């Protein structure tokens, strides 16, 4: 069984991205898996199904985000309930069709959520196109 790990801090959440991302994994990931969240645990998470790995952000230090990322990874790697091989997803990653671990490991972004299997290279900036993709993804998952 492979672990699917999400970093999550409630203070950084602006919407329900994590809920939709986890839902997409339950619908489309085609291998046995266990979801883990490192950081805060949202109230709506089923504690029997989702592993929570507590994490507190470092405060008041220069380069805090980099230290925070390393701390989270150390917490993940040292947790015996996380599989040796795991998938690290962000709350804005969504699976839109059936996938395996090998397919998830390929970086891609949906070009058109209404046409199965169409992809464009992932963008590194949050553009209007990216926001449109996110909106269309949420519409697709909500259907």
């Amino acid at each position: 069984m492979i672990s699917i790990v999400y970093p999550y801090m409630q203070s950084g959440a602006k919407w329900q991205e994590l809920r939709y991302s986890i839902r997409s994994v339950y619908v489309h990931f085609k291998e046995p898996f266990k979801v883990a969240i490192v950081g805060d645990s949202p109230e709506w998470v089923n504690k029997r199904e989702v592993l929570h790995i507590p994490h507190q952000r470092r405060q008041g230090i220069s380069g805090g985000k980099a230290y925070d990322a390393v701390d989270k990874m150390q917490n993940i790697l040292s947790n015996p309930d996380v599989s040796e091989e795991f998938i690290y997803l962000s709350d804005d990653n969504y699976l839109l069709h059936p996938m395996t671990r090998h397919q998830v490991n390929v970086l891609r972004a949906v070009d058109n959520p209404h046409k199965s299997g169409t992809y464009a290279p992932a963008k590194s900036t949050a553009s209007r196109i990216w926001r449109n993709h996110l909106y269309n993804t949420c519409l697709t998952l909500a259907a």
Side-chain angles (χ1 to χ4, degrees), residues 58-93:
R58 292 188 187 201
Q59 300 294 325
I61 61 170
S62 177
K65 287 186 179 183
Y67 285 109
D68 186 61
V70 170
D71 287 347
K72 285 179 187 170
M73 193 56 69
Q74 287 176 331
N75 288 342
I76 294 165
L77 295 173
S78 65
N79 190 303
D81 295 323
V82 174
S83 58
E84 185 172 321
E85 178 184 357
F86 61 89
I87 297 170
Y88 191 80
L89 293 179
S90 296
D91 60 359
D92 60 354
N93 296 142

Side-chain angles (χ1 to χ4, degrees), residues 117-137:
T118 61
Y119 298 98
K123 305 266 185 202
S124 62
T125 59
S127 66
R128 177 181 287 179
I129 293 170
W130 179 87
R131 286 189 297 274
N132 287 341
H133 289 293
L134 176 61
Y135 177 75
N136 289 332
T137 299

Side-chain angles (χ1 to χ4, degrees), residues 4 8 29 31 33 59 83 139:
I4 298 179
Y8 181 75
F29 194 69
E31 296 181 35
F33 68 91
Q59 300 294 325
S83 58
L139 287 178

Side-chain angles (χ1 to χ4, degrees), residues 17 62 68 80 97 105 111 124:
E17 293 99 336
S62 177
D68 186 61
H97 58 85
N105 285 331
D111 183 37
S124 62

Side-chain angles (χ1 to χ4, degrees), residues 94-111:
Y94 306 96
L95 305 185
L96 297 179
H97 58 85
M99 299 184 91
T100 65
R101 73 179 74 190
H102 304 293
Q103 293 166 315
V104 170
N105 285 331
V106 176
L107 182 62
R108 61 183 107 205
V110 173
D111 183 37

Side-chain angles (χ1 to χ4, degrees), residues 51-63:
L51 170 66
H52 176 233
I53 304 169
H55 170 74
Q56 293 292 323
R57 273 200 165 145
R58 292 188 187 201
Q59 300 294 325
I61 61 170
S62 177

